[in-house]
Amino acid sequence: MSDYFRPIPCETGRWQLAGGWLRFSRYELLRRGEAPRVVDSAPPEVLAALTTPRADLLGLSLDRPRLMGIVNATPDSFSDGGRYDGAEQARLLAGQGAEILDIGGESTRPGAREIPVAEEIARVVPAIRAAQGLAAVSVDTRKAAVARAALAAGAGLVNDVSGFDFDPGMAALVAESGVPVCLMHAQGIPETMQDNPSYGDVLLDVYDALALRIARAEAAGIPRDRIVIDPGIGFGKTQVHNLAILRRISVYHGLGCAILLGISRKRFIDTIGGAEAAADRGPGTLAVTLAGIAQGIQIHRVHDVAQTRQGLALWRAVTEGE
């Protein structure tokens, strides 16, 4: 039986979590089929994974939360597709304080269909070029050919929502280029992922799936300190699944990688908070973002950078003392 250890934050904790802003002394021990229980110790390798400071990402230290602004250079994204020019949005979000700009040219909303490589490249490259010098740049793509063109245009990170499942050439490209990568968990592909997602224990099933993705990346020559993980909220997951992950998301620190959280404007915020229009889900997005920060999540992918930055500034003022 596998054991999973979730660090329990405590201001006076003995250990610093992932070199960041939280401390802990105790753990919640999680086992399949058993109720969670609090314990005082964990194996040395678990403690090492939880406490090792995460490597800088794109020149940014991860000892405090970082904001990744979403630039959808697409006509059909669920939230804001076709409502702006990608290059202009990159400049806007950088001005609002985005430290990373995540530029994507293919929608991965539920039901979205794959588009041709050439079309995706034509969408993302102008925005990536426009973003140079404004913030660090990530390309949101599942395809090695698109990633290669994006890196040539100035992107410095590959954000693969398939976690290397979609394109067999992506791992080799990332290893060859030497850039960091974000590996996300998704059950299925966008066209069908919300048809009937099913798990035994979603929190731990996603943990194991991410561990396999990390191992596959390492086998391809990508060191763990260049890997970011994303549990993939809303990607092949129901509202119940999403909430189960969010309540205990700090367990994923045990994988020894920085964690990215992407919950911005997602449907479950409407279901719970009553905001049918995606653009009205900013308050709910901020609430979940701050809950993630309270569990040590380092990177937050958001549409509303200015509002999130304001909320984060207030959170830091309150929690960091005088």
Side-chain angles (χ1 to χ4, degrees):
M1 177 178 293
S2 296
D3 292 342
Y4 305 80
F5 293 85
R6 186 179 76 85
I8 301 174
C10 172
E11 286 186 14
T12 58
R14 180 178 176 186
W15 300 293
Q16 190 173 3
L17 178 60
W21 54 94
L22 297 180
R23 304 190 70 84
F24 71 99
S25 293
R26 307 181 80 191
Y27 312 83
E28 188 176 46
L29 174 61
L30 305 171
R31 289 176 175 165
R32 296 177 188 276
E34 296 185 9
R37 58 190 177 92
V38 175
V39 297
D40 294 320
S41 62
E45 63 273 17
V46 172
L47 181 59
L50 291 172
T51 57
T52 299
R54 304 308 184 233
D56 290 359
L57 181 71
L58 299 172
L60 300 168
S61 66
L62 297 181
D63 58 353
R64 61 186 179 91
R66 298 293 183 174
L67 296 183
M68 172 184 275
I70 300 169
V71 180
N72 290 318
T74 59
D76 58 346
S77 292
F78 81 95
S79 173
D80 51 14
R83 297 184 183 178
Y84 54 69
D85 173 79
E88 291 179 1
Q89 187 71 1
R91 287 189 282 266
L92 174 66
L93 296 186
Q96 292 180 354
E99 296 155 298
I100 305 170
L101 296 168
D102 192 41
I103 299 174
E106 179 181 63
S107 176
T108 50
R109 61 179 171 76
R113 295 185 177 182
E114 181 185 351
I115 67 167
V117 166
E119 184 177 352
E120 189 175 346
I121 290 173
R123 291 176 179 181
V124 300
V125 165
I128 291 170
R129 288 175 176 160
Q132 296 307 297
L134 302 178
V137 178
S138 166
V139 61
D140 177 1
T141 185
R142 303 177 288 171
K143 301 168 187 170
V146 177
R148 188 179 297 277
L151 296 175
L157 181 149
V158 174
N159 182 11
D160 184 350
V161 298
S162 80
F164 290 162
D165 276 353
F166 185 81
D167 187 335
M170 184 69 94
L173 171 66
V174 171
E176 169 195 323
S177 66
V179 299
V181 64
C182 181
L183 301 176
M184 196 189 80
H185 173 271
Q187 188 179 87
I189 57 176
E191 290 95 324
T192 59
M193 64 187 181
Q194 291 304 109
D195 287 355
N196 185 30
S198 177
Y199 300 87
D201 182 318
V202 65
L203 182 76
L204 304 184
D205 289 354
V206 170
Y207 187 107
D208 291 346
L210 287 170
L212 289 173
R213 283 163 167 76
I214 292 168
R216 182 169 55 183
E218 290 182 313
I222 304 167
R224 191 171 294 235
D225 64 6
R226 291 213 315 263
I227 300 171
V228 177
I229 54 172
D230 177 353
I233 299 298
F235 281 78
K237 300 171 183 74
T238 65
Q239 177 177 304
V240 171
H241 297 147
N242 292 333
L243 293 176
I245 290 170
L246 291 168
R247 290 185 184 114
R248 290 184 163 89
I249 194 170
S250 58
V251 72
Y252 299 122
H253 290 294
L255 291 165
C257 298
I259 304 171
L260 184 150
L261 179 61
I263 47 80
S264 186
R265 298 184 180 180
K266 290 194 172 175
R267 174 61 63 182
F268 78 97
I269 295 174
D270 166 34
T271 305
I272 297 171
E276 183 175 356
D280 294 335
R281 298 173 193 164
T285 296
L286 179 58
V288 182
T289 297
L290 293 177
I293 289 171
Q295 292 197 59
I297 305 307
Q298 294 98 343
I299 307 157
H300 300 269
R301 185 178 183 273
V302 299
H303 296 86
D304 303 302
V305 171
Q307 294 91 324
T308 308
R309 184 184 181 195
Q310 182 185 92
L312 179 56
L314 269 294
W315 176 86
R316 293 184 67 185
V318 169
T319 60
E320 293 181 1
E322 299 180 0

